[in-house]
Amino acid sequence: MTAAPAELLIDRPATADGAALWRLAKDSKTLDLNSSYSYLLWCRDFAGTSAVARGADGTPVGFVTGYVRPDRPHTLLVWQVAVDSAHRGHGIAAALLDGLTARLAAEHGVTDVETTITPGNTASERLFTSFAKRHGARLTREVLFSAELFPDGPHDSEVLYRIGPLTDSHAH
């Protein structure tokens, strides 16, 4: 567990956190909201590759969900990042990403991070660009899923951000 800004605790999610993560994703207004069931499963099956920031009462106020890619075992794919609106602007998302990647570098030898961002999501673009700089890593971008691949109505293209290799010159 890592200390985070504003006396928050960075921890692994537990199944009981699934509902809170679903609410944070819903309230973000930018993330694709998955079923509540998927957040419960995520907190059970991918807790080891995800992180939550907890307030003083233990309630999650931010999260990063991710998984290690089966065909690239040194690559963490970051699925979603969300921080409660009352806690934004305090570096919580950056602390979550840094804490998670440090843990996964130590536990699994993770050296690279991938995520997808829809064009115009400046908060995510800034988060991952500054993450790459902090970690002395190269950042490349390419369209991973173009808009026409999505079957459920209008959806922006998803741009793949590849960051790596990470160096250990970042601050903890």
Side-chain angles (χ1 to χ4, degrees):
M1 295 188 220
T2 311
E7 304 295 316
L8 295 176
L9 184 68
I10 294 181
D11 194 5
R12 293 174 192 234
T15 304
D17 296 322
L21 270 58
W22 179 83
R23 277 192 290 280
L24 287 166
K26 181 175 183 254
D27 294 345
S28 76
K29 308 271 195 271
T30 56
L31 295 177
D32 286 342
L33 184 63
N34 300 293
S35 72
S36 57
Y37 176 72
S38 70
Y39 290 90
L40 292 168
L41 275 178
W42 204 280
C43 289
R44 184 191 78 157
D45 294 341
F46 296 104
T49 54
S50 300
V52 294
R54 298 183 189 282
D57 64 355
T59 303
V61 297
F63 72 84
V64 175
T65 51
Y67 60 88
V68 174
R69 290 190 54 199
D71 62 341
R72 288 189 175 197
H74 298 291
T75 299
L76 169 69
L77 184 288
V78 174
W79 178 258
Q80 290 189 320
V81 179
V83 174
D84 179 75
S85 59
H87 292 84
R88 289 184 195 143
H90 300 289
I92 294 170
L96 279 163
L97 267 180
D98 287 346
L100 179 60
T101 54
R103 174 168 33 105
L104 294 179
E107 292 177 3
H108 299 286
V110 163
T111 57
D112 295 85
V113 173
E114 293 181 349
T115 195
T116 63
I117 302 173
T118 54
N121 183 342
T122 29
S124 288
E125 290 167 353
R126 261 191 249 123
L127 175 65
F128 284 94
T129 301
S130 66
F131 174 82
K133 284 184 185 144
R134 254 191 333 280
H135 292 265
R138 191 182 70 223
L139 167 62
T140 62
R141 298 169 188 86
E142 66 184 78
V143 173
L144 179 63
F145 301 126
S146 58
E148 65 271 3
L149 290 177
F150 291 90
D152 54 349
H155 192 292
D156 290 330
S157 294
E158 291 281 351
V159 178
L160 177 66
Y161 281 54
R162 277 198 177 109
I163 300 167
L166 305 177
T167 67
D168 44 322
S169 64
H170 58 282
H172 286 289

